[in-house]
């Protein structure tokens, strides 16, 4: 019997919250999922502005996203973010059990429509767009794809697969609200980047992991990232 594929698509666009993307990728790889990543130019700009990391979309390297140990990085901001958000650290507290394998990261250029994730015949367990910009939300709501990320989202909707939109915009305009409704009606899960504070928050990492844990829950991925409500601490 063939092994069920364990592929997750990740789209990074121009909304704020790049740290969620990086931590989610790290967690998915640790849980044994292969990550198929695409980053828009605005997404790369946000990663640079918020994380001080330069991502070359035409010559992407996994180390660009701090997926390797950067303890000795010369940039103090990178060291601070690593320490506070848990990115790239050994004590990442991802799983309650050993996944047995580490997933692989596959990069797809945002203009490459020949990418496998542009087709419904490529099997995945779901897709997450985090952060999801207002422009990307509009494209998803109206099935008007203009890049690979938006096309992959359209594929997940038409194939009735899980599509999670981690939006971060405030306040919301009426068009935003309408697009959130339309996306939900089309089958997407709208998950605003609104971390809870009830699980015992001591560091930035606790807030980041709250959102990542909720995303993993939606994908059906077992994790031990947070203390559950009502569970013994």
């Amino acid at each position: 019997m063939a092994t069920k594929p364990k592929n997750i698509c990740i789209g990074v666009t121009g909304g704020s919250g790049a740290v969620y993307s990086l931590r989610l990728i790290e967690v998915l790889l640790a849980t044994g999922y292969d990550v198929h990543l695409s980053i828009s130019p605005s997404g790369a700009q946000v990663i640079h502005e918020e994380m001080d990391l330069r991502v070359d979309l035409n010559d992407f390297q996994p180390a660009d996203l701090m997926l390797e140990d950067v303890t000795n990085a010369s940039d103090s901001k990178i060291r601070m973010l690593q320490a506070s958000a848990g990115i790239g650290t050994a004590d990442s507290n991802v799983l309650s059990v050993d996944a047995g394998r580490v997933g692989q990261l596959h990069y797809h250029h945002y203009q490459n429509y020949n990418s496998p994730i542009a087709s419904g015949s490529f099997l995945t367990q779901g897709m997450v767009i985090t952060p999801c910009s207002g422009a990307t939300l509009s494209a998803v709501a109206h099935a008007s794809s203009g890049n690979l990320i938006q096309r992959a989202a359209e594929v997940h909707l038409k194939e009735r697969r899980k599509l999670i939109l981690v939006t971060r915009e405030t306040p919301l305009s009426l068009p935003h609200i309408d697009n959130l409704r339309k996306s939900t009606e089309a089958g997407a899960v709208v998950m605003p980047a609104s971390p809870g504070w009830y699980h015992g928050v001591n560091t930035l990492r606790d807030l980041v992991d709250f959102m990542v844990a909720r995303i993993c829950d939606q994908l059906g991925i077992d994790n031990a990232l947070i203390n559950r409500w009502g569970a013994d601490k």
Side-chain angles (χ1 to χ4, degrees):
M1 184 175 179
T3 302
K4 188 176 183 180
K6 296 180 65 177
N7 297 309
I8 299 290
C9 295
I10 300 293
V12 180
T13 65
S16 182
V19 68
Y20 295 122
S21 309
L22 305 191
R23 179 61 166 151
L24 177 61
I25 292 169
E26 182 179 61
V27 169
L28 290 174
L29 294 175
T31 56
Y33 281 80
D34 290 348
V35 172
H36 292 264
L37 172 68
S38 189
I39 305 171
S40 73
S42 295
Q45 182 178 355
V46 169
I47 290 172
H48 173 58
E49 291 179 353
E50 296 185 351
M51 305 294 292
D52 202 20
L53 299 170
R54 294 187 181 276
V55 177
D56 187 340
L57 298 182
N58 297 315
D59 185 24
F60 175 82
Q61 302 296 325
D64 293 344
L65 293 184
M66 209 163 47
L67 298 178
E68 297 180 352
D69 185 6
V70 292
T71 304
N72 296 319
S74 59
D75 193 308
S76 61
K77 184 175 181 181
I78 293 179
R79 294 200 305 271
M80 180 275 291
L81 286 167
Q82 179 196 34
S84 61
I87 303 298
T89 57
D91 61 338
S92 56
N93 189 34
V94 172
L95 290 174
S96 55
V97 295
D98 186 3
R101 71 179 289 269
V102 175
Q104 296 182 339
L105 179 64
H106 305 272
Y107 173 73
H108 306 279
H109 194 278
Y110 72 99
Q111 292 179 324
N112 182 17
Y113 281 84
N114 288 324
S115 165
I117 66 175
S119 172
S121 65
F122 181 74
L123 299 179
T124 75
Q125 314 315 119
M127 178 175 185
V128 184
I129 302 180
T130 175
C132 179
S133 67
T136 301
L137 172 66
S138 178
V140 171
H142 296 278
S144 56
S145 59
N147 61 36
L148 178 62
I149 297 171
Q150 296 164 7
R151 168 58 186 169
E154 186 177 342
V155 164
H156 280 74
L157 289 180
K158 78 181 184 68
E159 298 294 333
R160 305 298 191 268
R161 297 179 194 156
K162 182 78 75 170
L163 172 64
I164 300 171
L165 307 177
V166 183
T167 58
R168 206 233 60 87
E169 187 73 76
T170 188
L172 295 172
S173 67
L174 182 57
H176 286 144
I177 294 170
D178 284 343
N179 288 334
L180 291 171
R181 175 184 57 80
K182 289 177 181 177
S183 297
T184 301
E185 290 176 343
V189 174
V190 175
M191 184 177 291
S194 303
W197 292 74
Y198 58 79
H199 59 295
V201 175
N202 296 307
T203 66
L204 172 63
R205 171 173 157 178
D206 295 324
L207 296 174
V208 173
D209 276 359
F210 179 91
M211 284 304 306
V212 173
R214 298 306 301 271
I215 294 170
C216 289
D217 291 346
Q218 286 291 318
L219 293 170
I221 299 174
D222 183 37
N223 66 87
L225 291 167
I226 59 172
N227 294 318
R228 302 288 177 175
W229 180 262
D232 293 335
K233 297 184 179 181

